[in-house]
Amino acid sequence: MAEPGTPVVFIHGLWLHATSWNPWIDHFRAAGYAPIAPGWPHEPETVELARENPQAVADIGIDDATGHFASIIDSLERPPVIIGHSFGGLITEKLLGQGIGLAGVAIDPAQIKGVLPLPLAQLRAGLPALGNPANLHRAVSLSEKEFRFGFGNTLTDEESADLYRRWTIPSPARPLFQAAAANFVLHSQAKVDTDREDRGPLLLISGTADHTVPDVVTRSTFKQYRDSAAVTELKQFEGRGHSLTIDSGWREVADAVLGWLREQGI
């Protein structure tokens, strides 16, 4: 078993602030872990400040963010469990593939190089950023309607609107462009070492009703690990969307992650 106080590093994805992990932090701390949820490079400390300074995170790419979190992890006394959502899930996979971290959980992870499915819902969810090539060097915000489609499609209008008001911030568009072009770029920053066998265990989680990272994309990601003997597992949540880490059902997902960590002896 892992020692008491095993570190956990939560990594959020685009359009959510690091403080959106606060309920998970409390839950994991109560379970005996030592969790933190650092923001992306240059991310302001609060949702309000992030909205007031929308271009503070402009032009940050996947490698910039991955290196940022690697430095934070390097400063910890012990290797942590890394838990990421959306692009935070992709970064979790990259770090684990670099031999960083005790274990990883990638929730609705953004697609990595080698994943081919590109459903129409995913294209529509990415349009706020990808629809204008000039956004490559900008930070982009979602409208409430765009958030409803990309995150809150399985929720009531009221809950989706509440989550939008509480947690959404401008985010860099560059990672979306990098992921979208990954299969056409030789040294794409969305490349993950899926063959590594001496890494920690990895759990991939998908919501079957997710528009932003559809279930078929996560299942395809899972298949990319078929040549590795390291533990790689997939768990699907029926009828859940991209909001599954922040909506009223977040605890079910968090408890599933805690249960899986116990199964791994962590």
Side-chain angles (χ1 to χ4, degrees):
M1 295 290 290
E3 298 177 40
T6 297
V8 176
V9 176
F10 290 105
I11 305 176
H12 69 83
L14 303 184
W15 294 310
L16 295 179
H17 191 267
T19 52
S20 64
W21 286 116
N22 282 353
W24 286 67
I25 287 178
D26 293 341
H27 198 49
F28 272 67
R29 185 177 292 120
Y33 294 88
I36 59 172
W40 280 44
H42 313 306
E43 180 180 313
E45 292 185 3
T46 67
V47 170
E48 292 73 19
L49 287 174
R51 291 171 180 169
E52 291 171 6
N53 300 278
Q55 297 307 314
V57 295
D59 218 21
I60 292 168
I62 293 172
D63 280 355
D64 297 322
T66 303
H68 168 75
F69 288 106
S71 295
I72 292 171
I73 290 170
D74 188 56
S75 70
L76 301 175
E77 293 184 1
R78 286 187 280 154
V81 174
I82 309 171
I83 300 175
H85 173 245
S86 197
F87 266 96
L90 185 154
I91 292 167
T92 296
E93 293 182 70
K94 280 184 70 75
L95 291 168
L96 210 61
Q98 294 170 8
I100 298 171
L102 184 63
V105 179
I107 305 170
D108 295 338
Q111 68 188 75
I112 63 175
K113 183 178 174 66
V115 171
L116 299 180
L118 193 61
L120 288 176
Q122 185 179 18
L123 285 172
R124 179 178 166 186
L127 271 180
L130 297 174
N132 182 353
N135 285 339
L136 174 64
H137 303 292
R138 299 172 178 165
V140 176
S141 299
L142 294 182
S143 68
E144 187 174 324
K145 182 179 179 180
E146 289 164 344
F147 179 85
R148 180 81 166 93
F149 180 82
F151 283 75
N153 59 294
T154 65
L155 310 178
T156 64
D157 289 341
E158 293 75 17
E159 183 176 8
S160 180
D162 178 62
L163 295 175
Y164 176 80
R165 288 190 294 268
R166 289 170 63 189
W167 302 126
T168 59
I169 62 171
S171 289
R174 180 177 285 275
L176 279 164
F177 283 91
Q178 290 173 323
N183 292 323
F184 308 99
V185 176
L186 182 60
H187 299 294
S188 170
Q189 293 187 22
K191 176 74 170 69
V192 169
D193 184 355
T194 56
D195 295 335
R196 186 168 187 142
E197 301 196 357
D198 62 346
R199 61 164 171 82
L202 171 65
L203 174 64
L204 300 171
I205 290 178
S206 72
T208 62
D210 193 329
H211 282 170
T212 298
V213 184
D215 179 60
V216 65
V217 173
T218 306
R219 286 188 279 115
S220 180
T221 299
F222 178 61
K223 291 177 182 178
Q224 301 301 308
Y225 288 91
R226 59 186 175 271
D227 293 329
S228 172
V231 172
T232 310
E233 298 181 9
L234 170 67
K235 182 172 180 58
Q236 297 160 290
F237 282 87
E238 193 66 33
R240 300 295 296 276
H242 205 60
S243 66
L244 81 176
T245 59
I246 57 171
D247 61 35
S248 57
W250 70 267
R251 190 181 295 268
E252 179 188 8
V253 183
D255 284 340
V257 172
L258 287 170
W260 180 78
L261 289 172
R262 286 193 290 269
E263 291 173 5
Q264 305 306 315
I266 298 172

